[in-house]
Amino acid sequence: MAQKKGYEVDSWLARPDPRVSIVLLYGPDRGLVAERAKAFAGKTGLPLDDPFSVVRLDGSEVDRDEGRLLDEARTVPMFSERRLLWVRNASGQKALADDVKALTSEPARDAIILIEAGDLKKGVGLRSIVEAADIAMALPCYADEARDIDTVIDEELRKAGMSMTLEARQALRRNLGGDRLASRGEIEKLVLYAHGQTEIGLDDVKATSGDVSGLSFDDAVDALLEGKVGDFDMAFTRHCQSGGQAFLVLSSAMRQLQAIQAMRGLMDAGGRNAAAVVAAARPPVFFTRRKLVEKALERWNSEALGRALTRLQTAVLQTRRRPDLSVALARQALLGIAVESARLAQRGG
């Protein structure tokens, strides 16, 4: 069977079998699927920014245009020996499965097929076709276990030239593991907060994680997402006057927007509505906040979310460089997002 167990995937990706021309990465952890797909694409040696060498397709696009993947796979490359056909957001599309089945019977001589998919049932459709083929490989991507989480933490610390105390690592680990990209984003945020330090301690983790510290800023962040500028300013002011750190509100807002960005990506890719995406979210959205999150998903498109997260990241850096102005800098950034939320609501997203 052309498949690997979850613990075997990274070792296979480190040394892919050159005889394999179709690689399927699938599973509920979409962040891990994307990260591993990027790693495999890099192993091909092809310039990933060259549209002549790398053709990027969406699963729904392949499904609408029957035979599209076959045509691309049988096109002779003009500027390289081979091409990478990179299909994202695959699921149960029949046309895609049919094209892959044809390519397992008559392999493309000049193309490598890389497919990113969601959680596929065993013995059904695309997954069963790939697992039964000699020239293909199916690689499952499930939520990180403790060992995997430590590996991701170590990678980010190594890049930043930092270390971490045991207490800090234990506290951080409790909040990671649901999605690889989300976990990596949390670690990057922590490293950003501790910029200029050589070691990250427990206080740093507490300052960047509302879950670990036991503090919640739902009222302020919810007002921000709803575009209720006055309500947000009142909650933010109350927090700061009571001795709370402005950075904690920035951190909470960043965490909420990252979660909404991931859910919006699922909406855009799979054609599902906001209610369906929120209902299927892992970790689950608390029931009292579901309607609010659904409205935020409908209001905030991917481009607007990207702008908001960039604004927050810039504010985090500014507050670290000028702690004496942290309240003013955080207020300015967060109010800007609240104002944009109100504007998006008026425009309908």
Side-chain angles (χ1 to χ4, degrees):
M1 299 290 283
Q3 59 179 308
K4 295 291 181 184
K5 302 292 185 183
Y7 65 87
E8 299 174 319
V9 174
D10 286 327
S11 60
W12 190 90
L13 287 172
R15 292 185 179 181
D17 187 337
R19 296 169 297 179
V20 170
S21 59
I22 301 175
V23 173
L24 168 66
L25 287 151
Y26 70 92
D29 190 337
R30 300 304 290 267
L32 184 55
V33 169
E35 186 170 287
R36 284 174 165 169
K38 185 177 180 181
F40 176 80
K43 287 288 185 178
T44 64
L46 294 169
L48 302 185
D49 58 348
D50 180 3
F52 294 103
S53 299
V54 180
V55 179
R56 302 175 191 272
L57 302 168
D58 191 88
S60 59
E61 179 184 358
V62 175
D63 197 49
R64 286 194 306 269
D65 190 358
E66 190 173 350
R68 171 70 184 280
L69 185 61
L70 277 176
D71 292 341
E72 292 286 358
R74 289 168 180 165
T75 299
V76 178
M78 296 180 62
F79 303 105
S80 58
E81 294 183 358
R82 56 184 180 169
R83 297 193 305 163
L84 173 66
L85 307 183
W86 193 339
V87 182
R88 290 193 169 108
N89 303 314
S91 55
Q93 296 100 339
K94 185 179 184 301
L96 173 60
D98 290 343
D99 283 359
V100 171
K101 186 172 183 178
L103 288 169
T104 60
S105 301
E106 296 181 32
R109 292 181 297 176
D110 306 312
I112 300 170
I113 318 298
L114 172 60
I115 304 170
E116 295 182 36
D119 201 9
L120 303 177
K121 292 183 179 180
K122 184 175 179 61
V124 178
L126 180 62
R127 178 177 168 184
S128 65
I129 292 168
V130 171
E131 290 179 346
D134 294 332
I135 63 159
M137 180 60 66
L139 304 172
C141 301
Y142 296 107
D144 289 327
E145 297 178 352
R147 179 181 61 183
D148 304 311
I149 293 171
D150 278 323
T151 299
V152 178
I153 293 173
D154 289 337
E155 286 174 1
E156 294 302 320
L157 290 176
R158 192 180 308 113
K159 286 193 294 187
M162 292 181 176
S163 61
M164 178 181 285
T165 66
L166 177 60
E167 294 87 351
R169 181 182 290 267
Q170 291 172 339
L172 176 63
R173 192 190 292 135
R174 287 196 292 270
N175 291 329
L176 305 178
D179 178 275
R180 172 63 67 89
L181 291 184
S183 294
R184 197 176 289 278
E186 283 293 311
I187 302 167
E188 290 173 348
K189 182 175 65 180
L190 174 61
V191 167
L192 180 65
Y193 176 80
H195 179 72
Q197 302 174 200
T198 58
E199 184 178 66
I200 295 173
L202 180 59
D203 287 343
D204 298 314
V205 176
K206 286 182 176 180
T208 58
S209 174
D211 291 334
V212 173
S213 65
L215 298 175
S216 172
F217 307 101
D218 282 348
D219 288 345
V221 176
D222 287 355
L224 177 147
L225 292 175
E226 292 184 286
K228 296 180 177 179
V229 178
D231 289 352
F232 164 77
D233 195 43
M234 185 183 303
F236 180 82
T237 300
R238 185 168 59 245
H239 165 72
C240 293
Q241 288 178 343
S242 65
Q245 297 181 43
F247 177 83
L248 289 173
V249 187
L250 286 173
S251 175
S252 181
M254 188 178 296
R255 195 162 52 249
Q256 294 279 3
L257 286 173
Q258 285 172 338
I260 290 171
Q261 184 182 51
M263 287 188 279
R264 180 70 199 210
L266 292 176
M267 279 180 61
D268 294 341
R272 290 184 288 171
N273 60 30
V277 171
V278 172
R282 294 294 180 272
V285 178
F286 194 58
F287 75 94
T288 60
R289 301 188 65 249
R290 286 189 177 182
K291 289 297 181 184
L292 182 147
V293 175
E294 288 172 13
K295 288 181 181 178
L297 279 170
E298 293 167 350
R299 177 182 304 179
W300 287 82
N301 58 37
S302 297
E303 183 180 353
L305 286 165
R307 289 196 304 268
L309 285 168
T310 298
R311 186 195 293 261
L312 288 174
Q313 186 177 45
T314 300
V316 169
L317 278 173
Q318 290 174 335
T319 57
R320 294 297 288 169
R321 291 170 179 164
R322 292 296 306 272
D324 56 318
L325 297 177
S326 61
V327 173
L329 291 168
R331 185 194 301 274
Q332 181 182 34
L334 292 162
L335 278 175
I337 294 172
V339 169
E340 181 164 9
S341 182
R343 189 180 300 124
L344 288 171
Q346 292 175 351
R347 294 205 306 255

Coordinates of all heavy atoms in Angstrom, one line a residue, residues 62-130:
V62 N -10.3 22.2 -10.8 CA -10.1 20.9 -11.5 C -11.4 20.2 -11.7 O -11.6 19.6 -12.7 CB -9.1 20.0 -10.7 CG1 -8.9 18.7 -11.4 CG2 -7.7 20.7 -10.7
D63 N -12.2 20.3 -10.7 CA -13.5 19.6 -10.7 C -14.4 20.2 -11.8 O -15.2 19.5 -12.5 CB -14.2 19.7 -9.4 CG -15.3 18.6 -9.2 OD1 -15.0 17.5 -9.6 OD2 -16.4 19.0 -8.8
R64 N -14.4 21.6 -11.9 CA -15.3 22.2 -12.9 C -14.8 22.0 -14.3 O -15.6 21.8 -15.2 CB -15.3 23.8 -12.6 CG -16.1 24.2 -11.5 CD -16.3 25.7 -11.5 NE -15.0 26.4 -11.6 CZ -14.3 26.9 -10.6 NH1 -14.7 26.6 -9.4 NH2 -13.2 27.5 -10.8
D65 N -13.5 21.9 -14.5 CA -12.9 21.8 -15.8 C -12.4 20.3 -16.0 O -11.2 20.0 -15.8 CB -11.7 22.8 -16.0 CG -11.2 22.9 -17.4 OD1 -11.8 22.1 -18.3 OD2 -10.3 23.6 -17.7
E66 N -13.3 19.4 -16.3 CA -13.0 18.0 -16.4 C -11.8 17.7 -17.3 O -11.8 18.2 -18.5 CB -14.2 17.2 -16.8 CG -14.0 15.7 -16.7 CD -15.3 15.0 -17.0 OE1 -16.4 15.7 -17.1 OE2 -15.3 13.7 -17.0
G67 N -10.8 17.0 -16.9 CA -9.6 16.7 -17.7 C -8.5 17.7 -17.6 O -7.5 17.5 -18.2
R68 N -8.7 18.8 -16.8 CA -7.7 19.8 -16.7 C -6.4 19.3 -16.2 O -5.3 19.6 -16.7 CB -8.3 20.9 -15.8 CG -7.2 22.0 -15.4 CD -6.9 22.9 -16.6 NE -5.9 23.9 -16.3 CZ -6.1 25.0 -15.6 NH1 -7.3 25.3 -15.2 NH2 -5.1 25.9 -15.4
L69 N -6.5 18.5 -15.1 CA -5.2 18.0 -14.5 C -4.5 17.1 -15.5 O -3.3 17.1 -15.7 CB -5.5 17.2 -13.2 CG -4.3 16.7 -12.5 CD1 -3.4 17.9 -12.0 CD2 -4.7 16.0 -11.2
L70 N -5.3 16.3 -16.3 CA -4.7 15.4 -17.3 C -4.0 16.2 -18.3 O -2.8 15.9 -18.8 CB -5.7 14.5 -17.9 CG -6.1 13.2 -17.2 CD1 -7.3 12.6 -17.9 CD2 -5.0 12.3 -17.0
D71 N -4.6 17.2 -18.8 CA -4.0 18.1 -19.9 C -2.7 18.7 -19.4 O -1.7 18.8 -20.1 CB -5.0 19.2 -20.3 CG -6.2 18.6 -21.0 OD1 -6.1 17.5 -21.5 OD2 -7.3 19.3 -21.1
E72 N -2.8 19.3 -18.2 CA -1.6 19.9 -17.6 C -0.4 18.9 -17.5 O 0.7 19.2 -17.7 CB -1.9 20.5 -16.3 CG -2.8 21.7 -16.3 CD -2.1 23.0 -16.9 OE1 -0.9 22.9 -17.2 OE2 -2.8 24.0 -17.0
A73 N -0.8 17.7 -17.0 CA 0.2 16.7 -16.8 C 0.9 16.2 -18.0 O 2.1 15.7 -18.0 CB -0.4 15.5 -16.0
R74 N 0.2 16.2 -19.1 CA 0.7 15.7 -20.4 C 1.2 16.8 -21.3 O 1.6 16.6 -22.5 CB -0.4 14.9 -21.1 CG -0.7 13.6 -20.4 CD -1.9 12.9 -20.9 NE -2.1 11.7 -20.1 CZ -3.2 11.0 -20.1 NH1 -4.3 11.4 -20.8 NH2 -3.3 9.9 -19.4
T75 N 1.3 18.1 -20.8 CA 1.9 19.2 -21.5 C 3.4 19.1 -21.4 O 3.9 19.0 -20.3 CB 1.4 20.5 -21.0 OG1 0.0 20.6 -21.1 CG2 2.1 21.7 -21.7
V76 N 4.1 19.2 -22.5 CA 5.6 19.1 -22.4 C 6.2 20.4 -21.9 O 5.8 21.5 -22.4 CB 6.1 18.8 -23.9 CG1 7.7 18.8 -23.8 CG2 5.6 17.5 -24.4
P77 N 7.0 20.4 -20.9 CA 7.6 21.6 -20.3 C 8.5 22.3 -21.4 O 9.2 21.6 -22.1 CB 8.4 21.1 -19.2 CG 8.0 19.7 -18.9 CD 7.4 19.2 -20.2
M78 N 8.4 23.6 -21.4 CA 9.2 24.4 -22.4 C 10.6 24.8 -21.8 O 11.5 25.0 -22.5 CB 8.4 25.6 -22.8 CG 7.1 25.2 -23.6 SD 6.2 26.7 -24.1 CE 7.4 27.5 -25.2
F79 N 10.6 25.1 -20.5 CA 11.8 25.7 -19.9 C 12.4 24.9 -18.8 O 13.3 25.4 -18.1 CB 11.4 27.1 -19.4 CG 10.8 28.0 -20.4 CD1 9.5 28.3 -20.4 CD2 11.6 28.6 -21.4 CE1 8.9 29.1 -21.4 CE2 11.1 29.4 -22.4 CZ 9.7 29.7 -22.4
S80 N 12.0 23.7 -18.6 CA 12.6 22.8 -17.6 C 12.3 21.4 -18.0 O 11.5 21.1 -18.9 CB 12.0 23.1 -16.2 OG 10.6 22.9 -16.2
E81 N 13.0 20.5 -17.3 CA 12.8 19.1 -17.6 C 11.5 18.5 -17.1 O 10.9 17.6 -17.7 CB 13.9 18.2 -16.9 CG 15.3 18.5 -17.5 CD 16.4 17.6 -16.9 OE1 16.0 16.8 -16.0 OE2 17.5 17.8 -17.2
R82 N 10.9 19.1 -16.1 CA 9.6 18.7 -15.6 C 8.9 19.8 -14.9 O 9.5 20.9 -14.7 CB 9.8 17.5 -14.6 CG 10.7 17.9 -13.4 CD 11.0 16.7 -12.5 NE 11.8 17.1 -11.4 CZ 12.1 16.3 -10.4 NH1 11.5 15.1 -10.3 NH2 12.9 16.7 -9.4
R83 N 7.6 19.6 -14.6 CA 6.8 20.6 -13.9 C 6.2 20.0 -12.7 O 6.0 18.8 -12.6 CB 5.7 21.2 -14.9 CG 6.2 21.9 -16.1 CD 5.1 22.6 -16.8 NE 4.0 21.7 -17.1 CZ 2.7 22.2 -17.4 NH1 2.5 23.5 -17.4 NH2 1.8 21.4 -17.7
L84 N 5.8 20.9 -11.8 CA 5.1 20.6 -10.6 C 3.7 21.1 -10.7 O 3.4 22.3 -10.9 CB 5.7 21.2 -9.3 CG 5.0 21.0 -8.0 CD1 4.9 19.5 -7.6 CD2 5.6 21.8 -6.9
L85 N 2.7 20.2 -10.6 CA 1.3 20.5 -10.6 C 0.8 20.5 -9.2 O 0.7 19.4 -8.6 CB 0.5 19.6 -11.5 CG 1.0 19.4 -12.9 CD1 0.1 18.5 -13.7 CD2 1.2 20.7 -13.6
W86 N 0.5 21.6 -8.6 CA 0.2 21.7 -7.2 C -1.3 22.0 -7.0 O -1.7 23.1 -7.3 CB 1.1 22.9 -6.6 CG 1.2 22.9 -5.1 CD1 0.3 22.4 -4.2 CD2 2.2 23.6 -4.3 NE1 0.7 22.7 -2.9 CE2 1.9 23.4 -3.0 CE3 3.3 24.3 -4.7 CZ2 2.7 23.9 -2.0 CZ3 4.1 24.8 -3.7 CH2 3.8 24.6 -2.3
V87 N -2.0 21.0 -6.5 CA -3.4 21.2 -6.3 C -3.8 21.4 -4.9 O -3.4 20.6 -4.0 CB -4.2 19.9 -6.8 CG1 -5.7 20.1 -6.7 CG2 -3.8 19.6 -8.3
R88 N -4.5 22.5 -4.6 CA -4.8 22.8 -3.2 C -6.4 22.6 -3.0 O -7.1 22.6 -4.0 CB -4.4 24.2 -2.8 CG -2.9 24.4 -2.7 CD -2.6 25.7 -2.0 NE -1.2 25.9 -1.7 CZ -0.4 26.7 -2.3 NH1 -0.7 27.4 -3.3 NH2 0.9 26.8 -1.8
N89 N -6.8 22.5 -1.7 CA -8.2 22.4 -1.4 C -8.9 21.3 -2.0 O -10.1 21.4 -2.4 CB -8.9 23.8 -1.7 CG -8.2 24.9 -1.0 OD1 -7.9 24.9 0.2 ND2 -7.9 26.0 -1.8
A90 N -8.3 20.1 -2.1 CA -8.9 19.0 -2.7 C -9.8 18.3 -1.6 O -9.5 18.5 -0.4 CB -7.9 18.0 -3.2
S91 N -10.9 17.7 -2.1 CA -11.8 17.0 -1.1 C -12.3 15.8 -1.8 O -11.6 14.9 -2.2 CB -12.9 17.9 -0.6 OG -13.6 18.5 -1.7
G92 N -13.6 15.8 -2.0 CA -14.2 14.6 -2.6 C -14.6 14.8 -4.1 O -15.5 14.2 -4.6
Q93 N -13.8 15.7 -4.8 CA -14.2 16.1 -6.2 C -14.0 14.8 -7.1 O -12.9 14.3 -7.1 CB -13.3 17.2 -6.7 CG -13.5 18.5 -6.0 CD -12.5 18.8 -4.9 OE1 -11.8 17.9 -4.4 NE2 -12.4 20.1 -4.5
K94 N -15.0 14.5 -7.8 CA -15.0 13.3 -8.6 C -14.0 13.4 -9.8 O -13.3 12.5 -10.2 CB -16.4 12.9 -9.1 CG -16.4 11.6 -9.9 CD -17.8 11.2 -10.3 CE -17.9 9.9 -11.0 NZ -17.0 9.8 -12.2
A95 N -14.1 14.6 -10.5 CA -13.3 14.8 -11.6 C -11.8 14.8 -11.3 O -11.0 14.2 -12.1 CB -13.6 16.2 -12.3
L96 N -11.4 15.3 -10.1 CA -10.0 15.2 -9.7 C -9.6 13.8 -9.5 O -8.5 13.3 -9.9 CB -9.8 16.0 -8.4 CG -8.5 15.9 -7.7 CD1 -7.4 16.4 -8.7 CD2 -8.5 16.8 -6.4
A97 N -10.5 13.0 -8.8 CA -10.2 11.6 -8.5 C -10.0 10.8 -9.8 O -9.1 10.0 -10.0 CB -11.3 11.0 -7.7
D98 N -10.9 11.1 -10.8 CA -10.8 10.4 -12.1 C -9.5 10.8 -12.8 O -8.9 9.9 -13.4 CB -12.0 10.9 -13.0 CG -13.3 10.3 -12.5 OD1 -13.3 9.3 -11.7 OD2 -14.4 10.8 -12.9
D99 N -9.1 12.0 -12.8 CA -7.8 12.4 -13.4 C -6.6 11.7 -12.8 O -5.7 11.2 -13.4 CB -7.6 13.9 -13.4 CG -8.5 14.7 -14.4 OD1 -9.2 14.0 -15.2 OD2 -8.5 15.9 -14.4
V100 N -6.7 11.7 -11.4 CA -5.6 11.0 -10.7 C -5.5 9.5 -11.0 O -4.5 8.9 -11.2 CB -5.7 11.3 -9.2 CG1 -4.7 10.4 -8.4 CG2 -5.5 12.7 -8.9
K101 N -6.7 8.9 -11.1 CA -6.8 7.5 -11.4 C -6.2 7.2 -12.8 O -5.4 6.3 -13.0 CB -8.2 7.0 -11.4 CG -8.3 5.5 -11.6 CD -9.8 5.0 -11.4 CE -9.9 3.5 -11.5 NZ -11.2 3.0 -11.2
A102 N -6.5 8.1 -13.8 CA -5.9 8.0 -15.1 C -4.4 8.1 -15.1 O -3.7 7.4 -15.8 CB -6.5 9.0 -16.1
L103 N -3.9 9.0 -14.2 CA -2.4 9.3 -14.2 C -1.7 8.1 -13.4 O -0.5 7.9 -13.6 CB -2.2 10.6 -13.5 CG -2.5 11.8 -14.3 CD1 -2.5 13.1 -13.4 CD2 -1.6 12.0 -15.5
T104 N -2.4 7.4 -12.6 CA -1.8 6.2 -12.0 C -1.6 5.1 -13.0 O -0.7 4.2 -12.8 CB -2.6 5.7 -10.7 OG1 -3.9 5.4 -11.1 CG2 -2.6 6.8 -9.7
S105 N -2.5 5.0 -14.0 CA -2.5 4.0 -15.0 C -1.5 4.3 -16.1 O -0.7 3.5 -16.6 CB -3.9 3.8 -15.6 OG -4.8 3.4 -14.6
E106 N -1.4 5.6 -16.5 CA -0.5 6.1 -17.5 C 0.2 7.3 -16.9 O -0.2 8.5 -17.1 CB -1.3 6.5 -18.7 CG -2.0 5.3 -19.4 CD -2.7 5.8 -20.7 OE1 -2.1 6.7 -21.4 OE2 -3.7 5.2 -21.0
P107 N 1.3 7.1 -16.1 CA 2.0 8.2 -15.4 C 2.5 9.3 -16.4 O 2.9 8.9 -17.5 CB 3.2 7.5 -14.8 CG 2.7 6.0 -14.7 CD 1.9 5.8 -15.9
A108 N 2.5 10.5 -15.9 CA 3.0 11.6 -16.7 C 4.5 11.5 -16.7 O 5.1 11.3 -15.6 CB 2.5 12.9 -16.1
R109 N 5.2 11.7 -17.8 CA 6.6 11.6 -17.9 C 7.3 12.9 -17.4 O 8.4 12.8 -16.9 CB 7.1 11.3 -19.3 CG 6.7 9.9 -19.8 CD 7.2 9.7 -21.2 NE 6.5 10.7 -22.2 CZ 6.9 10.7 -23.5 NH1 7.8 10.0 -23.9 NH2 6.3 11.6 -24.2
D110 N 6.6 14.0 -17.5 CA 7.3 15.3 -17.2 C 6.7 16.1 -16.1 O 6.9 17.3 -16.0 CB 7.3 16.1 -18.5 CG 7.8 15.4 -19.7 OD1 8.9 14.8 -19.6 OD2 7.2 15.4 -20.8
A111 N 5.8 15.4 -15.3 CA 5.1 16.2 -14.2 C 5.1 15.4 -12.9 O 5.1 14.2 -12.9 CB 3.7 16.4 -14.7
I112 N 5.2 16.2 -11.8 CA 5.0 15.7 -10.5 C 3.7 16.3 -10.0 O 3.4 17.5 -10.1 CB 6.1 16.1 -9.5 CG1 7.5 15.6 -10.0 CG2 5.9 15.7 -8.1 CD1 8.7 16.2 -9.3
I113 N 2.8 15.5 -9.4 CA 1.5 15.9 -8.9 C 1.5 16.0 -7.4 O 1.8 15.0 -6.7 CB 0.4 15.0 -9.4 CG1 0.5 14.5 -10.8 CG2 -1.0 15.6 -9.1 CD1 0.5 15.6 -11.8
L114 N 1.3 17.2 -6.9 CA 1.2 17.4 -5.4 C -0.2 17.8 -5.0 O -0.7 18.8 -5.6 CB 2.2 18.4 -5.0 CG 2.2 18.9 -3.5 CD1 2.4 17.7 -2.6 CD2 3.3 20.0 -3.3
I115 N -0.9 17.1 -4.2 CA -2.3 17.4 -3.8 C -2.4 17.7 -2.3 O -2.0 16.8 -1.5 CB -3.2 16.3 -4.2 CG1 -3.0 16.0 -5.8 CG2 -4.6 16.6 -3.9 CD1 -3.7 14.7 -6.2
E116 N -3.0 18.8 -2.0 CA -3.3 19.1 -0.6 C -4.8 18.9 -0.4 O -5.6 19.5 -1.1 CB -3.0 20.5 -0.2 CG -1.5 20.9 -0.3 CD -1.3 22.4 0.2 OE1 -2.1 22.9 1.1 OE2 -0.5 23.0 -0.4
A117 N -5.2 18.0 0.6 CA -6.6 17.7 0.8 C -7.0 17.8 2.3 O -6.1 17.8 3.1 CB -6.9 16.3 0.2
G118 N -8.3 17.9 2.5 CA -8.8 17.8 3.9 C -8.8 16.4 4.4 O -8.1 15.5 3.9
D119 N -9.6 16.1 5.4 CA -9.7 14.8 6.0 C -10.5 13.9 5.1 O -11.7 14.0 4.9 CB -10.4 14.9 7.4 CG -10.0 13.7 8.3 OD1 -9.1 12.9 7.9 OD2 -10.7 13.6 9.3
L120 N -9.8 12.9 4.5 CA -10.4 11.9 3.5 C -10.7 10.6 4.2 O -9.8 10.1 4.9 CB -9.5 11.7 2.3 CG -9.1 13.0 1.6 CD1 -8.1 12.7 0.4 CD2 -10.3 13.7 1.0
K121 N -11.8 10.0 3.9 CA -12.2 8.7 4.5 C -11.3 7.6 3.9 O -11.1 7.6 2.7 CB -13.6 8.4 4.4 CG -14.6 9.4 5.2 CD -16.0 9.0 5.0 CE -16.9 9.9 5.8 NZ -18.4 9.5 5.6
K122 N -11.0 6.6 4.7 CA -10.2 5.5 4.3 C -11.1 4.7 3.3 O -12.3 4.4 3.5 CB -9.8 4.6 5.5 CG -9.0 3.4 5.1 CD -8.5 2.7 6.3 CE -7.7 1.5 6.0 NZ -6.4 1.8 5.2
G123 N -10.5 4.2 2.2 CA -11.1 3.4 1.3 C -12.1 4.1 0.3 O -12.9 3.4 -0.4
V124 N -12.1 5.4 0.3 CA -13.0 6.1 -0.5 C -12.3 7.1 -1.5 O -11.4 7.8 -1.1 CB -14.0 6.9 0.3 CG1 -15.0 7.7 -0.5 CG2 -14.8 6.0 1.3
G125 N -12.7 7.2 -2.7 CA -12.3 8.2 -3.7 C -10.8 8.4 -3.8 O -10.1 7.4 -4.0
L126 N -10.4 9.7 -3.8 CA -9.0 10.0 -4.1 C -8.0 9.3 -3.2 O -7.0 8.8 -3.7 CB -8.9 11.6 -3.9 CG -7.5 12.2 -4.1 CD1 -7.1 12.0 -5.6 CD2 -7.5 13.7 -3.7
R127 N -8.3 9.2 -1.9 CA -7.4 8.5 -1.0 C -7.2 7.0 -1.4 O -6.0 6.6 -1.4 CB -7.9 8.6 0.4 CG -7.0 7.9 1.4 CD -7.5 8.1 2.8 NE -6.8 7.2 3.8 CZ -7.1 7.1 5.1 NH1 -8.0 7.8 5.6 NH2 -6.4 6.2 5.8
S128 N -8.2 6.3 -1.7 CA -8.1 4.9 -2.1 C -7.4 4.7 -3.4 O -6.6 3.8 -3.5 CB -9.5 4.3 -2.2 OG -10.2 4.8 -3.2
I129 N -7.5 5.7 -4.3 CA -6.8 5.6 -5.6 C -5.3 5.7 -5.4 O -4.5 5.0 -5.9 CB -7.4 6.7 -6.6 CG1 -8.8 6.3 -7.0 CG2 -6.5 6.8 -7.8 CD1 -9.5 7.5 -7.7
V130 N -5.0 6.7 -4.6 CA -3.5 7.0 -4.4 C -2.9 5.8 -3.6 O -1.8 5.4 -3.9 CB -3.3 8.3 -3.6 CG1 -1.9 8.5 -3.2 CG2 -3.8 9.5 -4.5

